[in-house]
Amino acid sequence: MSFVPPGTGWPDDPATADTPVALDPADVRRLAAASDTLAELTARQSVCRACPRLVEWREEVARVKRRAFAEETYWGRPVPGWGDEHPRILVVGLAPAAHGGNRTGRIFTGDRSGDWLFASLHRCGLAAQATSTHAGDGQRLLGARVMAPVRCAPPANKPTPAEKAACQPWMSRELALVARDVRVIVALGGYAWQAVWPVLKEAGYELPRLRPPFGHGAEVELRHAGAPVTLLGCYHPSQQNTFTGRVTAQMLDDVFTRARSLAV
């Protein structure tokens, strides 16, 4: 088996053997729109098979594995949104890493980017622990939730435009379900910044007429149902960015400290 079957005991698996499976983009749109709760939505996200290339890749990676994790069972399924069900802060990334979220079953968990992200969230009072290593490790987000525009690990970390479009309804519905509580959205990297705008529009946010450019520390004032919401830009804590010093721990802490102050 190249993926964990739903309902077989993986820690925090949101799905069961009876969870409906999206087999194409039309199914994604239908099942996302019909999800009345986060629990229902994340379960359906976690069993999606709408994009054949991504399904083949994520399951091949789970079968072959990386040598360092050869003895581990890989999740090998889409990685759903995760965190507080009533978040004041949303953190938006790119997609799960092949040997990170695709292995552990939790977004931003088990790779270097996640190490940097969760350490910063913990320092800023938004995570219960400084590390996130695997599902069921006791980690909790405090007033925050993490999601990604693409839920499956893509080859070379590059989903196609069609794959992004197919996955968008999952994120749109997730944002709509938590929008009442959210006061800050942190976009990690230019990809997340671009991906979040159409999702915000679908979820009913009031947006500026012109889309501001991405930048680290960029702030854009939005509104939802009359309430103020701030979109913050933050460089992605990718291995390339952290190794080159483009992103430092202090830079991440500054963004999340700002997010926390705005979310009160």
Side-chain angles (χ1 to χ4, degrees):
M1 181 65 69
S2 57
F3 63 92
V4 175
T8 52
W10 185 276
D12 299 331
D13 186 348
T16 70
D18 296 323
T19 299
V21 178
L23 299 177
D24 57 35
D27 280 349
V28 173
R29 293 191 295 272
R30 175 177 58 83
L31 291 173
S35 297
D36 295 326
T37 65
L38 274 179
E40 189 172 43
L41 181 69
T42 56
R44 293 173 175 185
Q45 289 173 355
S46 76
V47 296
C48 183
R49 302 184 68 82
C51 299
R53 187 183 78 114
L54 297 187
V55 171
E56 181 180 7
W57 171 254
R58 78 192 190 208
E59 294 179 5
E60 175 69 7
V61 169
R63 183 184 67 82
V64 175
K65 306 179 183 180
R66 178 175 283 173
R67 182 178 299 178
F69 309 120
E71 302 305 314
E72 295 188 24
T73 298
Y74 274 50
W75 171 251
R77 284 165 45 193
V79 183
W82 180 79
D84 199 314
E85 291 191 358
H86 299 281
R88 303 291 285 180
I89 299 170
L90 280 184
V91 182
V92 181
L94 167 57
H99 302 282
N102 190 56
R103 172 173 62 89
T104 64
R106 182 190 292 162
I107 194 72
F108 272 113
T109 296
D111 58 35
R112 290 186 182 274
S113 295
D115 292 344
W116 278 71
L117 176 63
F118 279 98
S120 180
L121 291 173
H122 178 66
R123 289 191 297 269
C124 297
L126 298 172
Q129 301 175 177
T131 60
S132 181
T133 58
H134 60 275
D137 62 0
Q139 178 64 282
R140 291 179 300 112
L141 291 182
L142 309 174
R145 186 173 185 86
V146 184
M147 63 175 71
V150 176
R151 306 302 170 117
C152 295
N157 289 324
K158 293 181 179 179
T160 67
E163 290 162 351
K164 297 177 205 174
C167 208
Q168 184 173 309
W170 293 131
M171 186 173 169
S172 296
R173 184 59 181 154
E174 188 164 359
L175 180 56
L177 286 170
V178 300
R180 182 178 64 180
D181 300 297
V182 171
R183 292 297 171 265
V184 181
I185 301 170
V186 179
L188 296 177
Y191 177 91
W193 183 269
Q194 294 300 323
V196 78
W197 287 93
V199 174
L200 290 167
K201 184 177 181 179
E202 287 187 9
Y205 281 75
E206 297 175 32
L207 307 178
R209 187 173 60 85
L210 297 177
R211 183 180 301 182
F214 170 75
H216 185 81
E219 296 191 16
V220 181
E221 294 303 316
L222 315 171
R223 297 191 75 81
H224 185 274
V229 181
T230 304
L231 175 64
L232 296 179
C234 179
Y235 287 149
H236 193 288
S238 65
Q239 186 168 318
Q240 180 181 4
N241 283 346
T242 56
F243 273 15
T244 60
R246 190 183 192 204
V247 173
T248 65
Q250 187 61 58
M251 290 170 68
L252 289 177
D253 289 359
D254 289 346
V255 169
F256 287 114
T257 297
R258 175 64 173 160
R260 189 175 182 186
S261 70
L262 291 167
V264 175

